[in-house]
Amino acid sequence: MQIIGSAMHRVDARDKVTGHAKYTEDLIGPHTLVAKVLHSTIANGMVTAFDLEEAWSVPGVVDIVTCFDVPDIQFPTAGHPWSTDKKHQDIADRKLLNTRVRCYGDDIAAVIAENEIAAANALRKIKVQYEEHAPILTVEEAMKSTAMPIHEERPDNIVVHSSYEIGSFEEASKEPGLIRVEGTYETPIVQHCHIEIANSFAYMEAGKIVVVSSTQIPHIVRRICSQALGVGFGDIRIIKPYIGGGFGNKQDALTEPLNAYLTTRVGGRPVKLAYTREETFACTRVRHAMEFHIVSYIRPDGTFAARSIDAYSNQGAYASHAHALVANAVNGFRMMYPVGAIKGNAYTVYTNLPTAGAMRAYGIPQIGFAMEAHVDDIVSRTGFDPIGFRKRNMMKLGYVDPITTITCHSTGLEECIEKGSRHIGFAEKRMRYAAQTGPLRRGVGMAIFCYKTGVYPISLETSACRMILNQDGSAQLQVGATEIGQGADTVFTMMAAETAGFTPDKIHLISTQDTDVTPYDTGAYASRQTYVSGMAVKKTAESLKTKILAYAGKMLHKDPWDLDIKENQVVHRNQEKSLIPVAEVALEACYSLTDSNHIAAEETHHCSDNTYAFGVCFAEIEVDIPMCTIKVLDILNVHDSGRIINRQTAEGQVHGGMSMGLGYGLTEFLKFDPKTGRMLNDNLLDYKLMTAMDTPELHAAFVEPEDPTGPFGNKALGEPPIIPVAPALRNALLNATGVAVGSIPLNPEKLFFEFSKAGLIR
Amino acid sequence: MANKLITCTINGKKKEYFVDVRSSLMEMLRGSAGLDSVKHGCDVGECGACTVLIDGLPYNSCIYLAIWAEGKTILTLEGLSDVKGAISDIQQAFIDEGAVQCGFCTPGFIMSSIPIITSEHPYGREEIRKQIAGNLCRCTGYVKIVDAIEKTQKKRIRERQES
């Protein structure tokens, strides 16, 4: 194998550097109608009436739809595989437009007009009457306020409460001589900030509704649209072109269900529904804010005797992915340090904030911050070595999670830690920085993580792939798995080429998904595609190769078993000399007057395993105490994602995740007006994501144990890089200043408060 | 509202468009001129995805009125490839260095890099970072973008010295 593991350039790079790559908005035809959504200007209450007279008088208005007009159907939006078991189905708690207003910016009406200006003008002229209630913005308040539940199906505002216990926490914590450490940790609401906004356009063709959308999950969005409109799966067709980033936000049905409905209101004429940047912030999805309370009992030998966690997740207005995230978080708490008795308790709670959904690493950046901050709180109080303490307690090879049964099939975590520690000079610097004085102080910090690969056995893992041989010996490769910027198309091309014995230029990957013709796959999330969809590609390429060799065997009068394909040539197994080019076999197979055979292959992989990826971040920072600022001097992520398929795209994933992690740790949070629940920084100026100037040089390294369950020894990589960054920075701050901060972002406002409290500034 | 005839040079060719006086240059380039590399990311000059060169300087075309383009010379990403499709060194560097992921910010970054790579001043990495700070990327962490610009700039300086 030579292609796998190389640094092959992206298959879509040329289209993307020339402007040829088409994204949803680039595909919209002329004469497309423009739809805009009217969002509520209260966070909690009811729409009681509309006055549409002035809006209708705007020239160019084609239709106005309100929450009183839409089908009386509640539907779920989460990008999960559907479950045929009612108990595991996503919560259906919203309509296309809602009379019951549950957040500031809820969708209550929509205008369809001939152009942007008419739509915007008409929207401004709609008058709304509300019955208004005070917004409930915190979990604490929501759990107390049951007078007017946010959803009548959940009278206590609790979406789901779950718990587990491994061993007996109470018994284990009674062991004599234990050290007790307790801490509370909070993470903020942040947003994905993909550069392409949420958008779609919809029209009717051949009696069905077609939605072209910037989505990570075309097949799932088809199912959701069919549920929302009360029509068959087959009545909906979703087309997904190139997308300008998703990071989990587009692992949800966003504009598609309403847009599918709107085109039916205007006789199937094309309708565009593109959110503004501000709407994308406030009216799509955000990352769940979580609060964790952790209690640990540690033996004098530095092992955990008992640990407990209480977790509270702020869901916002609608369920979306709901409890799955905080459940993932408290499961991650158990898996990372599976030692002693462990007790977990998690609540997901409705509030009148924007709906929280999936975002890169799905609850694990939240628990990663809390757990790794807590570990450093333990070592700073007990004097244990942070690396030694982690190594003693962390997951080892062969671990089987007692609840999910997910097994540690491979781990390079120790090697990751050693590599990172050497790079930064961790032990020596940590000692040196421990007792500094003066305004400028330096610190080093670290954090580790584990991350599952895909969603099995919690949910279905299935993927299909199709390959069709062309007459010139090249092949189309069609997958349901989606390219969202992470490089999926490139690694699938490499996998197919490697397996079939083709050179990568002979693989023509079809990037666009069209649910009418594309094989089924649930889509881009859970860092699952190289693992699950990769196996479907491998199986399909093997099947195609077998069929090519069967035909070649007939042409050459040889047993196909003796044949192989190397660099587009049919060869004797274990030999190099070409017997016949694949192109010649393909041409004969298509046009033979006696034995025409259109060679194609299609395979499904129904994955029934999972495996853990691991990694670590080491950071060195300089803290300016009077200025309350942190400067990152050096930062490195070392990942065990099994065997690396493509070195260049893998590095790119790590850099991007680290940058997002730096924002999560240092600058990013969404702010809300406590009186109205309105988002205050819903734009890229006031919301501080990392610019090129803010981002330091980022270092990425890998250790590569072969995972026995991955198609090419590979494991999750896309999401993990964000996880360890924020806690590593926080722990570096602890090393530098002795101040243990329990929340992020570590921005000047927070540091001023914390440094004042600690007496570092007056 | 009135429409107005605008005459300007786009990617080396003289063009005339009737534009709504309220429309942005981004809307004119994407709509009337069919130049889809000019990406729409925020409409308010925050993200830089719609960056084009106007008389040699990078601007956010979403907050530049189409009517201000009268008499100007505009360059978009499409103008960097020659008529037969051969791409420029900076585009090739973005491919080679792995500076492209989702690709949505890529046209804006390449356009913002043109003044850097055509300058006599040898920009250091920190200076490059400052020059491109008006373009946002959520995928790459900027490292490989800076690599691509730095590499192309050095190559061009070398080429100028050699010639």
Side-chain angles (χ1 to χ4, degrees), chain A residues 5 61 93 139 151 172 187 214 251 254 277 303 325 331 422 475 477 527 559 588 607 622 646 666 689 715 721 733 743:
Chain A
V61 168
D93 66 351
V139 164
H151 292 265
T187 61
S214 176
Q251 191 206 339
L254 299 175
R277 174 57 61 184
T303 55
L325 290 106
N331 284 344
R422 268 200 310 277
L477 169 62
S527 303
D559 186 337
E588 181 64 19
C607 177
E622 185 172 85
N646 182 315
L666 297 177
L689 72 148
K715 311 190 276 191
L733 176 68
S743 64

Coordinates of all heavy atoms in Angstrom, one line a residue, chain A residues 5 61 93 139 151 172 187 214 251 254 277 303 325 331 422 475 477 527 559 588 607 622 646 666 689 715 721 733 743:
Chain A
G5 N -1.7 6.9 3.7 CA -0.6 7.3 4.5 C 0.2 8.4 3.8 O 1.1 9.0 4.4
V61 N -44.9 40.9 -3.2 CA -45.1 39.8 -2.2 C -46.0 38.7 -2.9 O -47.0 39.0 -3.5 CB -45.8 40.3 -1.0 CG1 -46.4 39.2 -0.1 CG2 -44.9 41.2 -0.2
D93 N -40.7 18.2 18.7 CA -41.2 19.3 19.6 C -41.4 20.6 18.9 O -41.5 21.6 19.6 CB -40.4 19.4 20.9 CG -39.0 19.9 20.6 OD1 -38.6 20.0 19.4 OD2 -38.3 20.2 21.6
V139 N -30.6 27.1 33.6 CA -31.1 25.7 34.0 C -31.7 25.8 35.4 O -32.8 25.2 35.6 CB -29.9 24.8 33.9 CG1 -30.2 23.5 34.7 CG2 -29.5 24.5 32.5
H151 N -42.4 23.4 27.1 CA -43.1 22.5 26.3 C -44.1 21.7 27.2 O -43.7 21.2 28.2 CB -42.2 21.5 25.6 CG -41.3 22.1 24.6 ND1 -41.6 22.1 23.3 CD2 -40.1 22.7 24.7 CE1 -40.6 22.7 22.6 NE2 -39.7 23.1 23.4
A172 N -17.4 3.0 48.2 CA -16.0 3.2 47.9 C -15.5 4.5 48.5 O -14.3 4.5 48.8 CB -15.9 3.3 46.3
T187 N -19.0 25.6 31.2 CA -18.6 26.0 29.8 C -19.7 26.8 29.2 O -20.9 26.7 29.5 CB -18.4 24.7 29.0 OG1 -19.6 24.0 28.9 CG2 -17.3 23.9 29.6
S214 N -27.2 23.3 2.0 CA -25.9 23.2 2.6 C -26.0 22.4 3.9 O -26.2 22.9 5.0 CB -25.4 24.6 3.0 OG -24.2 24.6 3.7
Q251 N -25.6 19.5 11.0 CA -26.1 18.1 11.3 C -27.4 18.2 11.9 O -27.8 17.5 12.9 CB -25.1 17.4 12.3 CG -25.3 15.9 12.4 CD -24.8 15.3 13.7 OE1 -24.0 15.9 14.4 NE2 -25.4 14.2 14.1
L254 N -32.2 22.6 9.3 CA -32.2 24.0 9.6 C -33.3 24.7 8.7 O -34.5 24.8 9.2 CB -30.8 24.6 9.4 CG -29.7 24.0 10.3 CD1 -28.4 24.6 9.9 CD2 -30.0 24.2 11.8
R277 N -26.1 36.3 8.4 CA -25.1 35.8 9.4 C -25.8 35.9 10.8 O -25.6 35.1 11.7 CB -23.9 36.7 9.4 CG -22.8 36.5 10.4 CD -22.3 35.0 10.5 NE -21.7 34.6 9.3 CZ -21.3 33.4 9.1 NH1 -21.4 32.5 10.0 NH2 -20.7 33.1 7.9
T303 N -4.5 6.8 43.0 CA -5.5 6.2 42.2 C -6.9 6.7 42.6 O -7.1 7.0 43.8 CB -5.5 4.7 42.2 OG1 -5.6 4.2 43.6 CG2 -4.2 4.1 41.6
L325 N -25.9 14.8 24.1 CA -24.7 15.4 24.3 C -24.2 15.3 25.7 O -23.0 15.0 25.9 CB -24.7 16.9 23.8 CG -24.9 17.0 22.3 CD1 -26.2 17.3 21.9 CD2 -23.8 17.9 21.7
N331 N -20.6 10.0 30.0 CA -20.0 8.7 29.6 C -18.5 8.9 29.4 O -17.7 8.1 29.8 CB -20.6 8.2 28.3 CG -22.0 7.6 28.5 OD1 -22.3 7.3 29.7 ND2 -22.7 7.4 27.5
R422 N 7.9 15.9 25.8 CA 9.3 16.2 25.4 C 9.3 17.5 24.6 O 10.2 18.3 24.8 CB 9.8 15.1 24.5 CG 10.5 14.0 25.2 CD 11.4 13.1 24.3 NE 10.7 12.7 23.1 CZ 9.9 11.6 23.0 NH1 9.7 10.8 24.1 NH2 9.3 11.2 21.9
A475 N -13.1 4.7 -12.8 CA -14.4 4.4 -12.2 C -15.0 5.5 -11.4 O -14.3 6.4 -10.8 CB -14.1 3.2 -11.2
L477 N -16.9 6.9 -8.2 CA -17.0 6.5 -6.8 C -18.1 7.3 -6.3 O -18.0 8.6 -6.3 CB -15.7 6.7 -6.1 CG -15.7 6.6 -4.6 CD1 -16.1 5.2 -4.1 CD2 -14.3 6.9 -4.0
S527 N -17.2 11.9 13.7 CA -15.9 11.5 13.2 C -15.9 10.1 12.6 O -15.0 9.3 12.8 CB -14.8 11.6 14.2 OG -14.7 12.9 14.7
D559 N -7.3 -18.3 -14.3 CA -8.1 -18.4 -13.1 C -8.0 -17.0 -12.4 O -6.9 -16.5 -12.1 CB -7.6 -19.4 -12.1 CG -8.5 -19.6 -10.9 OD1 -9.3 -18.6 -10.6 OD2 -8.5 -20.6 -10.3
E588 N -13.7 -4.0 -23.4 CA -14.2 -5.2 -23.9 C -15.5 -5.6 -23.2 O -16.5 -6.0 -23.8 CB -13.2 -6.3 -23.8 CG -13.6 -7.7 -24.3 CD -13.8 -7.8 -25.8 OE1 -13.3 -6.9 -26.5 OE2 -14.5 -8.7 -26.3
C607 N -21.9 -1.3 10.4 CA -20.8 -1.4 11.3 C -21.3 -1.8 12.7 O -22.3 -1.2 13.2 CB -20.2 0.0 11.4 SG -18.9 0.1 12.6
E622 N 2.1 32.8 28.3 CA 2.6 33.9 29.2 C 1.3 34.8 29.6 O 0.5 35.2 28.8 CB 3.5 34.8 28.4 CG 4.2 35.9 29.2 CD 5.3 36.6 28.5 OE1 5.0 37.5 27.7 OE2 6.4 36.2 28.7
N646 N -4.3 10.3 5.3 CA -3.7 11.4 4.5 C -3.1 12.4 5.4 O -3.7 13.1 6.2 CB -4.8 12.1 3.7 CG -4.2 13.2 2.8 OD1 -3.4 14.0 3.2 ND2 -4.7 13.2 1.5
L666 N -10.3 30.8 25.1 CA -9.8 32.2 25.4 C -10.8 33.3 25.1 O -10.8 34.3 25.8 CB -8.5 32.5 24.6 CG -7.3 31.6 24.9 CD1 -6.2 32.0 23.9 CD2 -6.9 31.7 26.3
L689 N -14.2 35.0 17.3 CA -13.5 33.7 16.9 C -12.1 34.1 16.5 O -11.8 35.3 16.2 CB -14.2 33.0 15.8 CG -14.3 33.5 14.4 CD1 -14.3 32.3 13.4 CD2 -15.5 34.3 14.2
K715 N -8.8 5.6 13.1 CA -9.9 5.9 14.1 C -10.3 7.4 13.9 O -9.7 8.1 13.1 CB -9.3 5.7 15.5 CG -8.6 4.4 15.7 CD -8.3 4.1 17.2 CE -7.0 4.8 17.6 NZ -6.6 4.3 19.0
P721 N -9.5 17.2 17.7 CA -8.5 18.2 18.0 C -9.0 19.4 18.9 O -8.2 20.0 19.6 CB -8.0 18.7 16.7 CG -8.2 17.5 15.8 CD -9.5 16.9 16.3
L733 N -2.5 28.3 33.0 CA -2.8 29.4 33.8 C -2.7 29.1 35.3 O -2.1 29.9 36.0 CB -4.2 29.9 33.5 CG -4.7 31.1 34.3 CD1 -3.9 32.4 33.9 CD2 -6.2 31.4 34.1
S743 N -14.1 28.2 34.8 CA -15.0 28.4 33.6 C -14.2 29.0 32.5 O -13.1 29.5 32.7 CB -16.2 29.2 33.9 OG -15.7 30.5 34.3

